[in-house]
Amino acid sequence: PHTLYSDAVFAKNRIVKFVYWHLLEKPMLKKAALIQILERDQVQPLRRRGVQTPAAVVPNAIDPAGTPPEEDLAWSTTGPIRLYYLGRINFHQKALDILVKAVAQVRKEFDIHLTIQGPDAGDLDTLKGIARQTGAEEVLTILPPDFE
């Protein structure tokens, strides 16, 4: 799984997740030979939920071939502070609502711009609403994922 089995994850759509977890996912995980996790701290939530299946940490990777050489990188001291988020648009796991609200506060004192790029995990419209309500909309760019 590519998710933490934390209480926060199970809080949204609680009834549906309870049924799904007990009827499908937990039995499947208990029968698996091995579970792939992204970080070591993802083991404990599984154990607390009664899954003792061995787990292997296999972190997400970045292809070095797509990364510019270090000597080509330089910090800019002019223009806005630029923040980038690449990943799923998911509040419960990524806290993007908190990030957007923070950018709305920071923009009152600093020139800042936030770019969010990734697939919608169901929270995109809510994210746009928060950006509108807080004034972050003016300094926010939301882009679809680019898997190329």
Side-chain angles (χ1 to χ4, degrees):
H2 289 278
T3 183
L4 291 174
Y5 288 97
S6 67
D7 293 338
V9 170
F10 281 82
K12 184 177 181 184
N13 301 318
R14 182 172 290 157
I15 294 170
V16 172
K17 288 183 180 173
F18 179 87
V19 171
Y20 179 82
W21 172 255
H22 287 285
L23 292 180
L24 297 170
E25 194 156 357
K26 183 177 180 181
M28 178 187 62
L29 291 173
K30 289 177 92 171
K31 290 179 184 177
L34 184 75
I35 300 171
Q36 176 205 342
I37 57 175
L38 300 176
E39 299 173 345
R40 190 87 226 137
D41 66 356
Q42 293 180 343
V43 171
Q44 283 310 107
L46 283 168
R47 301 297 181 251
R48 282 195 302 272
R49 294 190 179 281
V51 177
Q52 301 303 319
T53 305
V57 177
V58 181
N60 283 334
I62 295 175
D63 181 7
T67 305
E70 189 173 347
E71 59 270 11
D72 290 352
L73 302 176
W75 287 100
S76 174
T77 56
T78 60
I81 298 167
R82 297 191 181 277
L83 303 176
Y84 296 91
Y85 168 84
L86 302 173
R88 288 187 318 275
I89 298 175
N90 179 303
F91 289 169
H92 289 283
Q93 292 179 329
K94 307 300 182 181
L96 293 177
D97 53 335
I98 295 170
L99 176 61
V100 169
K101 290 174 185 176
V103 166
Q105 290 297 312
V106 170
R107 76 178 286 265
K108 294 174 184 175
E109 296 185 39
F110 297 96
D111 188 11
I112 189 168
H113 186 87
L114 170 62
T115 299
I116 295 176
Q117 183 171 16
D120 179 13
D123 292 327
L124 180 59
D125 289 339
T126 304
L127 180 76
K128 288 178 180 178
I130 291 170
R132 246 186 326 276
Q133 291 170 351
T134 61
E137 182 178 46
E138 298 171 23
V139 295
L140 174 65
T141 301
I142 300 173
L143 301 172
D146 180 2
F147 298 113
E148 298 287 322

